[in-house]
C-alpha cells in the first residue's frame, strides 16, 4: 500500500485492530497511518463511520 504511483496526500491508510503490538504500532505511526484500536469492535465501527461522514467527496 505504501508503494503507490499516487501521491501520498491523495490517499490515506486506516488500520482497525483490537490488539496492541509495539512493532506494528511503531511501523504504522512512522508511516503516518491512522490507527483505530479498541478491544470493543463496536467502538472501531463507530469511529470509522464518524470519519467517513466527515470525508469530502
Amino acid at each position: 500500500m505504501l508503494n503507490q504511483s499516487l501521491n501520498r496526500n491523495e490517499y490515506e491508510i486506516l488500520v482497525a485492530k483490537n490488539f496492541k503490538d509495539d512493532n506494528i504500532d511503531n511501523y504504522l505511526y512512522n508511516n503516518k497511518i491512522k490507527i483505530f484500536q479498541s478491544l470493543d469492535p463496536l467502538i472501531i465501527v463507530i469511529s470509522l463511520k464518524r470519519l467517513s461522514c466527515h470525508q469530502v467527496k
Side-chain angles (χ1 to χ4, degrees):
M1 292 297 298
L2 296 175
N3 189 13
Q4 296 285 328
S5 58
L6 290 172
N7 189 321
R8 182 64 171 99
N9 62 6
E10 293 183 35
Y11 69 97
E12 65 182 341
I13 301 171
L14 308 174
V15 173
K17 60 191 195 79
N18 65 350
F19 61 92
K20 181 166 178 51
D21 181 299
D22 289 336
N23 290 328
I24 294 172
D25 295 343
N26 288 333
Y27 177 83
L28 297 173
Y29 177 79
N30 290 334
N31 286 285
K32 298 180 177 133
I33 297 171
K34 293 183 181 177
I35 305 169
F36 293 88
Q37 182 174 316
S38 175
L39 294 177
D40 183 351
L42 184 58
I43 299 299
I44 294 174
V45 170
I46 291 170
S47 297
L48 292 173
K49 282 185 178 181
R50 285 184 181 162
L51 179 69
S52 67
C53 290
H54 291 80
Q55 297 295 315
V56 177
K57 304 220 182 223

